[in-house]
């Protein structure tokens, strides 16, 4: 009996524009861990060339490299403005250098373009990447359990920033050292409990 061939699964493609080698490598490492295909390009000319291939669902771009009125910024803005219902398949997330945040944030928010400030928080970054990929149907749902990672603590912060999480203050997604330490402590205790339970279950009972 013959079976119909299955369609190959298309790997999610993410293009990163970043001339900062350590910064670009860190972003790539985070996204590689999700099994996605990530490519870093060092200049806007190469970025525009890659965009023509249609292989990319998300562009993560250093806004200091695209500027606010250059061809790369204008192209990305146009691509990001097409809704998924109208065939839009690309979204953009901007990286803003910490020391230059003032000159970019106002313009990006006016254009309703999502961004993260450097140095960004891992869960803030992953959540925005996840939301944008879901928006263009590149993935079916949020990656990992980003929205639930910190339980009640995260829920409280999300409620505080409910008005518009994509453009909410960075502080709404930040965690103090004490909060992170408490989370890691809880995770460690939960892990111990799981190992203990697994060990107990594996122990043979006496006849």
């Amino acid at each position: 009996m013959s079976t119909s061939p299955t369609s190959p699964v298309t790997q999610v493609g993410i293009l990163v524009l970043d001339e900062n080698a350590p910064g670009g490598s860190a972003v790539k490492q985070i996204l590689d861990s999700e099994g996605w295909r990530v490519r870093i390009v060092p200049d806007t000319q190469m970025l525009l060339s890659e965009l023509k291939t249609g292989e990319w669902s998300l562009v993560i771009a250093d806004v200091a490299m695209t500027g606010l009125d250059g061809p790369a910024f204008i192209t990305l803005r146009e691509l990001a403005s097409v809704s998924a219902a109208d065939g839009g398949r690309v979204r953009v997330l901007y990286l803003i250098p910490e020391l230059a945040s003032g000159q970019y944030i106002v313009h990006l928010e006016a254009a309703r373009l999502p961004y993260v400030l450097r140095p960004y928080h891992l869960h803030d970054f992953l959540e925005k990447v996840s939301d944008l990929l879901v928006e263009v149907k590149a993935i079916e749902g949020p990656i990992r359990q980003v929205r639930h990672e910190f339980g009640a603590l995260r829920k409280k912060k999300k409620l505080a920033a409910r008005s518009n999480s994509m453009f909410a203050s960075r502080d709404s997604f930040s965690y103090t050292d004490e909060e992170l330490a408490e989370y890691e402590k809880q995770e460690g205790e939960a892990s111990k409990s799981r190992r203990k339970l697994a060990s107990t279950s594996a122990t043979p009972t006496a006849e």
Side-chain angles (χ1 to χ4, degrees):
M1 183 176 65
S2 63
T3 58
S4 57
T6 56
S7 300
V9 176
T10 302
Q11 191 175 23
V12 175
I14 300 178
L15 193 59
V16 180
L17 173 67
D18 197 339
E19 62 184 354
N20 179 331
S25 296
V27 170
K28 188 175 189 303
Q29 184 176 3
I30 293 169
L31 301 176
D32 275 345
S33 68
E34 299 298 332
W36 298 329
R37 183 167 66 94
V38 182
R39 180 171 185 189
I40 300 175
V41 292
D43 58 60
T44 56
Q45 184 175 358
M46 192 173 293
L47 171 76
L48 293 172
S49 177
E50 283 292 336
L51 285 174
K52 292 177 183 177
T53 67
E55 298 177 5
W56 311 102
S57 298
L58 177 66
V59 178
I60 299 173
D62 184 336
V63 70
M65 295 180 64
T66 65
L68 296 171
D69 55 7
F73 182 83
I74 293 170
T75 299
L76 291 174
R77 184 183 61 195
E78 292 301 315
L79 287 172
S81 69
V82 181
S83 70
D86 291 332
R89 292 294 178 266
V90 180
R91 288 297 176 261
V92 183
L93 178 63
Y94 282 97
L95 302 177
I96 301 181
E98 186 177 26
L99 298 180
S101 60
Q103 70 186 91
Y104 295 117
I105 289 178
V106 172
H107 294 281
L108 292 177
E109 290 191 345
R112 297 194 65 77
L113 292 169
Y115 62 84
V116 290
L117 284 172
R118 277 179 158 157
Y120 49 76
H121 289 260
L122 174 61
H123 293 279
D124 180 15
F125 176 72
L126 285 175
E127 183 171 82
K128 289 187 177 181
V129 166
S130 173
D131 286 347
L132 292 168
L133 289 174
V134 169
E135 190 177 322
V136 291
K137 299 179 175 56
I139 59 176
E140 293 183 358
I143 54 177
R144 296 177 181 166
Q145 290 186 331
V146 174
R147 293 183 183 278
H148 313 289
E149 285 278 320
F150 291 95
L153 170 63
R154 183 159 187 81
K155 186 180 291 185
K156 181 179 72 174
K157 293 196 176 232
K158 286 287 286 182
L159 286 173
R162 191 175 226 164
S163 57
N164 192 337
S165 62
M166 184 64 76
F167 303 101
S169 164
R170 180 169 173 264
D171 292 339
S172 299
F173 298 93
S174 301
Y175 300 91
T176 65
D177 291 341
E178 291 77 12
E179 288 171 333
L180 289 173
E182 178 62 25
Y183 170 73
E184 289 171 359
K185 178 182 175 184
Q186 291 174 2
E187 282 294 289
E189 291 173 352
S191 179
K192 281 184 186 177
S193 298
R194 287 193 293 269
R195 286 199 301 269
K196 187 174 181 180
L197 181 61
S199 175
T200 303
S201 301
T203 303
T205 56
E207 291 293 334

